[in-house]
Amino acid sequence: MSAQDRETSPPPQHAAAVAVLLRFLDYMRAEKGASDHTLEAYMRQCRMFVEWMGPRFESWEACTTDSYRAWLYEAMQQELKPASIRQRFAALRSLYAYLMLREGYTANPLADLTLPRARTGLPVHLSLKQMEELLSLPLRTPVDKKSPAWLPFRDAAILELFYSCGIRLSELVSLNADAFAGGADCVRVVGKGRKVRLVPVGEYAREAIEKYLEYAVPDPQGPLFISRLRRRMTGRSVQLMLDKYLRCSGIPFHISPHKLRHTFATHLLDAGADLRSVQELLGHSSLSTTQIYTHVTKTRMKQVYLEAHPRATDIED
């Protein structure tokens, strides 16, 4: 090995650390059903710590609480958001849980580490009027002459499905065309942890999908939503599509596919849906995750109060 190779190659202990990470990711994939997106994030976040430690890193077992406290301090000095810091340490905590369960480690250096509390911001969502405007845009926005004629129908179907089902972006792009064979009124969704759930599909979404399938004619055994090159759409391409329509709208803030999920949940609760049903539709494993939406159902709460309280009077918005 040349001197230059020795300078650029990672220390042996770093290679050993990566080997441990690969076993950990195999465990997360096989036994915890973690998605590829989660696995990539875990690998990136754990390697970030190893690279930060540099030659001080000997092994995962040799890392101390002080090592992680110093890394936490640096992250806070960089003014990283609490959510970003907690995400880094979530990967490491999962790693040490695995090491203690499967590789004989007897101590977890992260057990006594106190992380900054995540700020629980209000979920951003569209009003009903804004949502209706967004849903109407694909079929009334001029189409690029180079684009296939079916493209607006695909975009309309995607937006209708997001709003009708509240599914995640990863769940939408993984759907295959056979999911809607015969005009199914429910769709089988594979969510986080490979958990499967059936989600009802509303009439508007079914009609939009049927029209898209009629014009685009994707392979019945292939992806449901295809790109111009007739390949499976990526999450990035869906976001770019959404950005295009937002620029044509009067919506004054940025919207991601996940915010359409927030909109789905908020509108259901505003209309009187119970929290447990919304939890099942969203595929949340814990009801506490769904409860973040309850504060935005002011209209519903006012209605219940006015109808139920014997001394209620009209309340101004």
Side-chain angles (χ1 to χ4, degrees):
M1 181 184 290
S2 68
Q4 184 178 2
D5 289 337
R6 284 195 297 273
E7 288 175 4
T8 57
S9 61
Q13 65 267 32
H14 286 202
V18 171
V20 172
L21 286 179
L22 292 175
R23 295 197 297 273
F24 162 60
L25 297 179
D26 284 342
Y27 161 81
M28 291 297 294
R29 179 186 294 108
E31 300 196 28
K32 297 295 184 180
S35 68
D36 291 341
H37 177 77
T38 297
L39 297 175
E40 288 169 10
Y42 276 16
M43 173 61 93
R44 182 173 62 253
Q45 289 151 8
C46 292
R47 290 190 69 166
M48 197 184 302
F49 173 75
V50 174
E51 290 164 7
W52 176 79
M53 287 284 286
R56 295 172 296 164
F57 185 92
E58 297 177 9
S59 68
W60 292 110
E61 194 168 20
C63 292
T64 65
T65 302
D66 285 341
S67 304
Y68 289 110
R69 189 173 285 120
W71 196 44
L72 170 61
Y73 178 75
E74 180 163 310
M76 295 179 72
Q77 289 293 102
Q78 294 171 355
E79 297 185 353
L80 294 181
K81 293 180 180 179
S84 299
I85 295 173
R86 294 181 71 87
Q87 190 176 45
R88 284 186 181 184
F89 282 90
L92 289 161
R93 281 178 164 164
S94 292
L95 169 64
Y96 277 98
Y98 157 78
L99 293 173
M100 295 181 73
L101 179 67
R102 293 298 171 86
E103 303 216 2
Y105 283 36
T106 57
N108 179 355
L110 296 170
D112 297 324
L113 194 67
T114 302
L115 299 178
R117 183 175 296 178
R119 301 185 189 97
T120 54
L122 304 182
V124 176
H125 68 282
L126 297 173
S127 67
L128 182 57
K129 184 177 180 181
Q130 289 169 334
M131 192 69 231
E132 288 174 343
E133 178 191 3
L134 182 61
L135 292 172
S136 72
L137 284 171
L139 299 183
R140 61 184 181 89
T141 301
V143 183
D144 185 339
K145 292 181 180 179
K146 296 180 181 179
S147 299
W150 48 262
L151 205 67
F153 298 104
R154 180 203 69 184
D155 296 351
I158 288 174
L159 294 178
E160 288 284 1
L161 193 59
F162 269 134
Y163 184 51
S164 177
C165 300
I167 61 178
R168 300 178 177 92
L169 175 60
S170 59
E171 295 168 347
L172 180 132
V173 296
S174 67
L175 289 173
N176 288 329
D178 60 5
F180 288 92
D185 57 4
C186 282
V187 62
R188 180 178 177 272
V189 173
V190 181
K192 288 185 176 181
R194 301 289 191 270
K195 293 179 181 176
V196 178
R197 68 186 190 279
L198 282 177
V199 182
V201 182
E203 182 181 351
Y204 286 95
R206 289 201 308 273
E207 289 178 356
I209 290 167
E210 287 169 7
K211 188 166 289 188
Y212 157 65
L213 292 173
E214 177 186 345
Y215 282 91
V217 195
D219 180 352
Q221 303 305 314
L224 173 61
F225 294 116
I226 56 177
S227 68
R228 300 176 190 220
L229 299 177
R230 304 190 71 82
R231 296 172 185 160
R232 185 182 296 276
M233 289 187 76
T234 63
R236 175 65 177 160
S237 59
V238 173
Q239 179 65 67
L240 290 173
M241 177 270 290
L242 182 55
D243 290 344
K244 178 181 75 173
Y245 293 118
L246 285 171
R247 289 193 294 270
C248 303
S249 76
I251 298 169
F253 47 85
H254 184 260
I255 285 291
S256 65
H258 201 71
K259 289 184 176 67
L260 298 183
R261 182 169 157 87
H262 292 329
T263 301
F264 163 84
T266 302
H267 289 184
L268 278 178
L269 289 167
D270 251 347
D274 66 276
L275 199 61
R276 185 71 67 181
S277 297
V278 175
Q279 175 196 358
E280 292 179 6
L281 290 168
L282 291 172
H284 286 162
S285 56
S286 170
L287 189 62
S288 61
T289 309
T290 317
Q291 285 175 331
I292 192 173
Y293 299 108
T294 57
H295 67 281
V296 291
T297 58
K298 184 175 68 172
T299 302
R300 175 62 180 167
M301 285 192 292
K302 284 184 180 179
Q303 179 186 344
V304 170
Y305 178 81
L306 290 170
E307 291 177 355
H309 198 286
R311 296 180 68 85
T313 57
D314 196 16
I315 302 173
E316 293 295 327
D317 287 329

Coordinates of all heavy atoms in Angstrom, one line a residue, residues 266-312:
T266 N -56.7 16.4 9.7 CA -57.4 17.6 10.3 C -58.8 17.7 9.8 O -59.7 18.0 10.5 CB -56.6 18.9 10.0 OG1 -55.2 18.7 10.5 CG2 -57.2 20.1 10.6
H267 N -59.0 17.5 8.5 CA -60.3 17.7 7.9 C -61.3 16.6 8.4 O -62.5 16.8 8.6 CB -60.3 17.7 6.4 CG -59.7 19.0 5.8 ND1 -59.6 19.2 4.5 CD2 -59.1 20.0 6.4 CE1 -59.0 20.4 4.3 NE2 -58.7 20.9 5.5
L268 N -60.8 15.4 8.6 CA -61.6 14.3 9.1 C -62.0 14.6 10.5 O -63.2 14.5 10.9 CB -60.8 13.0 9.1 CG -60.7 12.2 7.8 CD1 -59.9 10.9 8.0 CD2 -62.1 11.8 7.3
L269 N -61.1 15.1 11.4 CA -61.4 15.4 12.8 C -62.4 16.6 12.8 O -63.3 16.6 13.7 CB -60.2 15.6 13.6 CG -59.3 14.4 13.8 CD1 -57.9 14.8 14.4 CD2 -60.0 13.4 14.8
D270 N -62.2 17.5 12.0 CA -63.1 18.7 11.9 C -64.5 18.3 11.6 O -65.4 18.9 12.1 CB -62.6 19.7 10.9 CG -62.0 21.0 11.6 OD1 -62.2 21.2 12.8 OD2 -61.3 21.7 10.9
A271 N -64.6 17.2 10.8 CA -66.0 16.8 10.4 C -66.6 15.8 11.4 O -67.7 15.3 11.1 CB -65.9 16.2 9.0
G272 N -65.9 15.5 12.5 CA -66.4 14.7 13.5 C -65.9 13.3 13.6 O -66.5 12.5 14.4
A273 N -64.9 12.9 12.8 CA -64.3 11.6 12.9 C -63.7 11.4 14.3 O -63.2 12.3 14.9 CB -63.3 11.4 11.8
D274 N -63.8 10.2 14.8 CA -63.2 9.9 16.1 C -61.7 9.6 15.9 O -61.2 9.2 14.9 CB -63.8 8.7 16.8 CG -63.6 7.4 16.1 OD1 -64.4 7.1 15.1 OD2 -62.7 6.7 16.4
L275 N -60.9 9.9 17.0 CA -59.5 9.9 16.9 C -58.9 8.5 16.6 O -58.0 8.3 15.9 CB -58.9 10.4 18.3 CG -57.4 10.9 18.3 CD1 -57.2 12.0 17.3 CD2 -57.0 11.2 19.7
R276 N -59.6 7.5 17.2 CA -59.1 6.1 17.0 C -59.2 5.7 15.5 O -58.3 5.1 15.0 CB -59.9 5.1 17.9 CG -59.4 3.7 17.8 CD -58.1 3.5 18.5 NE -58.2 3.7 20.0 CZ -57.2 3.6 20.8 NH1 -56.0 3.3 20.3 NH2 -57.3 3.8 22.1
S277 N -60.3 6.1 14.9 CA -60.4 5.8 13.4 C -59.4 6.5 12.6 O -58.8 5.9 11.7 CB -61.8 6.2 12.9 OG -62.8 5.4 13.6
V278 N -59.1 7.7 12.9 CA -58.1 8.5 12.2 C -56.7 7.8 12.4 O -55.9 7.7 11.5 CB -58.1 10.0 12.6 CG1 -56.9 10.7 12.0 CG2 -59.4 10.6 12.2
Q279 N -56.5 7.4 13.6 CA -55.2 6.7 13.9 C -55.0 5.5 13.0 O -54.0 5.3 12.4 CB -55.2 6.2 15.4 CG -53.9 5.4 15.7 CD -54.1 4.6 17.0 OE1 -55.1 4.7 17.7 NE2 -53.1 3.8 17.4
E280 N -56.1 4.7 12.8 CA -56.0 3.5 12.0 C -55.8 3.8 10.5 O -55.1 3.2 9.8 CB -57.3 2.6 12.2 CG -57.4 2.0 13.6 CD -58.7 1.2 13.7 OE1 -59.4 1.0 12.8 OE2 -58.9 0.8 14.9
L281 N -56.5 4.9 10.1 CA -56.4 5.3 8.7 C -55.0 5.8 8.4 O -54.4 5.5 7.3 CB -57.4 6.4 8.4 CG -58.9 6.0 8.3 CD1 -59.8 7.2 8.3 CD2 -59.1 5.1 7.1
L282 N -54.4 6.5 9.4 CA -53.0 7.0 9.2 C -51.9 5.9 9.3 O -50.8 6.1 8.9 CB -52.7 8.2 10.1 CG -53.5 9.5 9.9 CD1 -53.3 10.4 11.1 CD2 -53.1 10.1 8.6
G283 N -52.3 4.9 10.0 CA -51.3 3.8 10.3 C -50.4 4.2 11.4 O -49.2 3.7 11.5
H284 N -50.8 5.0 12.3 CA -50.0 5.3 13.5 C -50.1 4.2 14.5 O -51.1 3.6 14.8 CB -50.6 6.6 14.2 CG -50.3 7.8 13.5 ND1 -50.9 9.0 13.7 CD2 -49.3 8.1 12.5 CE1 -50.4 10.0 13.0 NE2 -49.5 9.5 12.2
S285 N -48.9 3.8 15.0 CA -48.9 2.7 16.0 C -49.3 3.2 17.4 O -49.8 2.4 18.2 CB -47.5 2.1 16.1 OG -46.5 3.1 16.4
S286 N -49.2 4.5 17.6 CA -49.6 5.0 18.9 C -50.6 6.1 18.8 O -50.5 7.0 17.9 CB -48.4 5.6 19.7 OG -48.8 6.3 20.8
L287 N -51.7 6.1 19.6 CA -52.7 7.1 19.6 C -52.1 8.5 19.9 O -52.6 9.5 19.4 CB -53.8 6.8 20.6 CG -55.1 7.7 20.5 CD1 -55.7 7.6 19.1 CD2 -56.0 7.3 21.6
S288 N -51.0 8.6 20.7 CA -50.4 9.9 21.1 C -49.9 10.6 19.8 O -49.8 11.8 19.8 CB -49.3 9.6 22.1 OG -48.3 8.8 21.5
T289 N -49.5 9.8 18.8 CA -49.0 10.5 17.6 C -50.1 11.2 16.9 O -49.9 12.2 16.3 CB -48.4 9.4 16.7 OG1 -47.4 8.6 17.4 CG2 -47.7 10.0 15.5
T290 N -51.3 10.6 16.9 CA -52.5 11.2 16.2 C -53.0 12.4 17.0 O -53.6 13.2 16.4 CB -53.6 10.1 16.1 OG1 -53.0 8.8 15.7 CG2 -54.6 10.5 15.1
Q291 N -52.8 12.4 18.3 CA -53.4 13.5 19.1 C -52.9 14.9 18.8 O -53.5 15.8 19.2 CB -53.2 13.2 20.6 CG -54.1 12.0 21.1 CD -53.8 11.7 22.5 OE1 -52.6 11.8 23.0 NE2 -54.8 11.2 23.2
I292 N -51.8 15.0 18.0 CA -51.3 16.3 17.7 C -52.3 17.0 16.8 O -52.3 18.3 16.8 CB -49.9 16.2 16.9 CG1 -49.3 17.5 16.8 CG2 -50.1 15.5 15.6 CD1 -47.9 17.5 16.2
Y293 N -53.2 16.3 16.2 CA -54.2 17.0 15.3 C -55.4 17.5 16.0 O -56.2 18.3 15.5 CB -54.7 16.0 14.2 CG -53.6 15.5 13.3 CD1 -53.1 14.2 13.4 CD2 -53.0 16.3 12.4 CE1 -52.1 13.7 12.6 CE2 -52.0 15.8 11.6 CZ -51.5 14.5 11.7 OH -50.5 14.1 10.9
T294 N -55.6 17.1 17.3 CA -56.8 17.5 17.9 C -57.0 19.0 18.2 O -58.1 19.5 18.3 CB -57.0 16.7 19.3 OG1 -55.8 17.0 20.1 CG2 -57.0 15.2 19.0
H295 N -55.8 19.7 18.3 CA -55.9 21.1 18.7 C -56.4 21.9 17.5 O -56.7 23.1 17.7 CB -54.5 21.6 19.1 CG -53.5 21.6 18.0 ND1 -52.9 20.4 17.5 CD2 -53.1 22.6 17.1 CE1 -52.1 20.7 16.5 NE2 -52.2 22.0 16.2
V296 N -56.4 21.4 16.3 CA -56.8 22.2 15.1 C -58.2 21.9 14.7 O -58.7 22.3 13.7 CB -55.9 21.8 13.9 CG1 -54.5 22.4 14.1 CG2 -55.9 20.4 13.6
T297 N -59.0 21.3 15.6 CA -60.4 21.0 15.3 C -61.3 22.0 16.1 O -62.3 21.6 16.7 CB -60.7 19.6 15.7 OG1 -60.4 19.3 17.0 CG2 -59.9 18.6 14.8
K298 N -60.9 23.2 16.1 CA -61.7 24.3 16.8 C -63.1 24.3 16.4 O -64.0 24.5 17.2 CB -61.0 25.6 16.7 CG -61.6 26.7 17.5 CD -60.9 28.0 17.4 CE -61.0 28.6 16.0 NZ -60.4 30.0 15.9
T299 N -63.4 24.2 15.1 CA -64.7 24.4 14.6 C -65.6 23.3 15.2 O -66.7 23.5 15.6 CB -64.7 24.3 13.1 OG1 -63.9 25.3 12.5 CG2 -66.1 24.4 12.5
R300 N -65.1 22.1 15.2 CA -65.9 20.9 15.8 C -66.1 21.1 17.3 O -67.2 20.9 17.8 CB -65.1 19.6 15.5 CG -65.7 18.4 16.1 CD -67.1 18.1 15.6 NE -67.7 16.9 16.2 CZ -68.9 16.6 16.2 NH1 -69.8 17.3 15.5 NH2 -69.4 15.5 16.8
M301 N -65.1 21.6 18.0 CA -65.2 21.8 19.4 C -66.3 22.8 19.7 O -67.1 22.7 20.7 CB -63.9 22.1 20.0 CG -62.9 21.0 20.2 SD -61.5 21.4 21.2 CE -60.7 22.6 20.2
K302 N -66.3 23.9 19.0 CA -67.3 24.9 19.2 C -68.7 24.4 19.0 O -69.6 24.7 19.7 CB -67.0 26.1 18.2 CG -65.9 27.0 18.6 CD -65.8 28.2 17.7 CE -64.6 29.1 18.0 NZ -64.5 30.2 17.1
Q303 N -68.8 23.6 17.9 CA -70.1 23.0 17.6 C -70.7 22.2 18.7 O -71.8 22.3 19.1 CB -70.1 22.2 16.3 CG -71.4 21.6 15.9 CD -71.2 20.7 14.7 OE1 -70.3 20.8 13.9 NE2 -72.2 19.9 14.4
V304 N -69.8 21.3 19.2 CA -70.2 20.4 20.3 C -70.5 21.2 21.6 O -71.6 21.0 22.2 CB -69.0 19.4 20.7 CG1 -69.3 18.7 21.9 CG2 -68.8 18.5 19.5
Y305 N -69.7 22.3 21.9 CA -70.0 23.1 23.0 C -71.4 23.8 22.9 O -72.2 23.8 23.8 CB -68.9 24.1 23.2 CG -69.1 25.1 24.3 CD1 -68.8 24.7 25.6 CD2 -69.7 26.3 24.1 CE1 -69.0 25.6 26.7 CE2 -69.9 27.2 25.2 CZ -69.5 26.8 26.5 OH -69.7 27.7 27.5
L306 N -71.6 24.4 21.7 CA -72.9 25.1 21.6 C -74.1 24.2 21.6 O -75.1 24.6 22.1 CB -72.8 25.9 20.2 CG -71.9 27.0 20.1 CD1 -71.8 27.5 18.7 CD2 -72.3 28.2 21.0
E307 N -73.9 23.0 21.2 CA -75.1 22.0 21.2 C -75.3 21.4 22.5 O -76.4 21.0 22.9 CB -74.8 21.0 20.1 CG -74.9 21.5 18.7 CD -74.6 20.4 17.6 OE1 -74.3 19.3 18.1 OE2 -74.7 20.7 16.4
A308 N -74.2 21.3 23.3 CA -74.3 20.5 24.5 C -74.4 21.3 25.8 O -75.0 20.8 26.8 CB -73.1 19.5 24.6
H309 N -73.8 22.5 25.9 CA -73.8 23.2 27.1 C -75.1 24.0 27.3 O -75.5 24.8 26.4 CB -72.6 24.2 27.1 CG -72.3 24.6 28.5 ND1 -73.0 25.6 29.2 CD2 -71.3 24.3 29.4 CE1 -72.5 25.8 30.4 NE2 -71.4 25.0 30.5
P310 N -75.8 23.9 28.4 CA -77.1 24.5 28.7 C -77.0 26.0 28.7 O -78.0 26.7 28.5 CB -77.5 23.9 30.0 CG -76.3 23.5 30.7 CD -75.4 23.0 29.6
R311 N -75.8 26.6 29.0 CA -75.8 28.1 29.1 C -74.8 28.6 28.1 O -74.2 29.7 28.3 CB -75.4 28.5 30.5 CG -76.4 28.1 31.6 CD -76.0 28.5 32.9 NE -76.0 30.0 33.1 CZ -77.0 30.7 33.4 NH1 -78.2 30.1 33.6 NH2 -76.9 32.0 33.6
A312 N -74.6 27.9 27.0 CA -73.7 28.4 25.9 C -74.4 29.5 25.1 O -75.6 29.5 24.9 CB -73.3 27.2 25.0

